[in-house]
Amino acid sequence: MENNAILKTENLNLYYGGNHALVDITVGIRKNRVTALIGPSGCGKSTLLRCFNRLNDLIENVQVDGTILFNGRPITGNDMDVVDLRKRIGMVFQKPNPFPTSIYENVAYGPRVHGIRDQQRLNAIVERSLKDAALWGEVKDRLHASAMSLSGGQQQRLCIARTLAVEPEIILMDEPCSALDPIATARIENLIHALKKKYTVVIVTHNMQQAARVSDCTGFMYLGRLIEFGETGLIFESPRAELTNNYITGRFG
């Protein structure tokens, strides 16, 4: 287990009713690194990602056993402020989901919810967040235009800016490029590289080439188990587990 892990699980199990969806997951997510979770569809990647900010709480009949630590503190107890947790561990979803309001209001929404009312401060947050999401140059002259007028790739970067606006420590990304064209995908991948200077990023992807390009560490999952986890170069070039090797070389998946 990594000593400098910002996020850790120990013997994590998750059940959807009678379905044992995650099995004894122990992993450490390193600070200011990009961690990719790969594996075939239905292997538990997104389920694990949603454990990190307790989005699985929203699903009926879910039971979670084991430990999840964020900065050394357990997040699964009833005493955890889940709203604050989701502020500090933000989520970007598979399909861009901007609010049907202006570009500005999309980014200002979170800070307003958390009590910021000062207009100058909101303006500064919106500008900083859009710059960090590599979108400011494209939208600075039309901040009050509808977010729905943006392209798919711009909408996804807007959703990233919206996540950044509340100053998270960790950004979870669930297949953030699967609905995007190759040019928009390249922009998001470049953005992920830049984001790790300030944030910790965990990305779920079906695209192994993308995982190899953007991540520092990679975890391979299969049937709810974490089969192998380590430095991305080692996972792709000399995996220890035969199952990992078979997946990476295309023998199944």
Side-chain angles (χ1 to χ4, degrees):
M1 183 74 74
E2 296 286 349
N3 289 329
N4 64 340
I6 188 173
L7 201 55
K8 292 183 183 181
T9 72
E10 295 171 358
N11 304 118
L12 177 67
N13 290 272
L14 182 140
Y15 305 83
Y16 292 123
N19 175 28
H20 195 173
L22 294 178
V23 184
D24 289 330
I25 304 281
T26 296
V27 69
I29 305 296
R30 292 164 61 191
K31 188 172 183 176
N32 295 112
R33 293 288 185 272
V34 179
T35 297
L37 299 174
I38 63 171
S41 295
C43 69
K45 305 184 297 292
S46 293
T47 299
L48 177 58
L49 196 73
R50 287 163 179 262
C51 284
F52 295 146
N53 67 350
R54 289 186 47 176
L55 275 182
N56 290 317
D57 290 14
L58 305 174
I59 302 169
E60 287 185 29
N61 298 321
V62 165
Q63 178 189 341
V64 178
D65 296 326
T67 305
I68 308 172
L69 301 173
F70 173 39
N71 285 325
R73 182 185 170 196
I75 69 165
T76 50
N78 292 330
D79 60 337
M80 171 55 66
D81 181 341
V82 178
V83 173
D84 182 64
L85 177 70
R86 292 179 189 150
K87 174 177 178 281
R88 296 170 68 196
I89 305 180
M91 174 77 94
V92 176
F93 295 93
Q94 186 168 358
K95 290 184 179 176
N97 59 343
F99 303 141
T101 58
S102 71
I103 295 164
Y104 183 99
E105 290 302 327
N106 265 269
V107 184
Y109 175 82
R112 280 204 178 103
V113 165
H114 291 285
I116 296 173
R117 296 283 180 268
D118 180 75
Q119 194 61 50
Q120 282 188 312
R121 194 169 167 206
L122 285 171
N123 291 347
I125 290 169
V126 169
E127 181 173 343
R128 172 186 56 76
S129 303
L130 288 169
K131 281 180 175 175
D132 282 356
L135 190 58
W136 175 252
E138 294 163 56
V139 302
K140 63 183 179 182
D141 298 323
R142 50 177 175 141
L143 293 176
H144 299 290
S146 170
M148 312 314 286
S149 68
L150 298 174
S151 70
Q154 288 174 323
Q155 286 186 12
Q156 191 65 301
R157 280 181 284 148
L158 179 62
C159 292
I160 293 170
R162 189 174 67 194
T163 300
L164 300 181
V166 295
E167 300 185 347
E169 294 178 52
I170 298 174
I171 305 164
L172 309 177
M173 296 185 168
D174 193 359
E175 298 272 0
C177 301
S178 65
L180 305 180
D181 63 47
I183 292 171
T185 294
R187 281 186 171 161
I188 297 287
E189 289 183 2
N190 289 336
L191 173 57
I192 290 168
H193 273 296
L195 287 173
K196 73 178 180 182
K197 293 172 188 169
K198 293 185 181 179
Y199 310 93
T200 301
V201 180
V202 187
I203 179 171
V204 162
T205 179
H206 276 103
N207 185 327
M208 282 188 285
Q209 290 77 21
Q210 181 174 77
R213 285 192 298 265
V214 305
S215 71
D216 302 291
C217 301
T218 296
F220 168 61
M221 296 186 67
Y222 185 68
L223 298 179
R225 297 180 183 273
L226 184 64
I227 303 299
E228 190 164 351
F229 185 84
E231 297 286 337
T232 294
L234 293 174
I235 293 289
F236 280 93
E237 291 163 21
S238 53
R240 295 187 306 275
E242 184 179 0
L243 205 54
T244 311
N245 187 56
N246 288 345
Y247 181 71
I248 285 169
T249 55
R251 293 188 188 131
F252 75 95

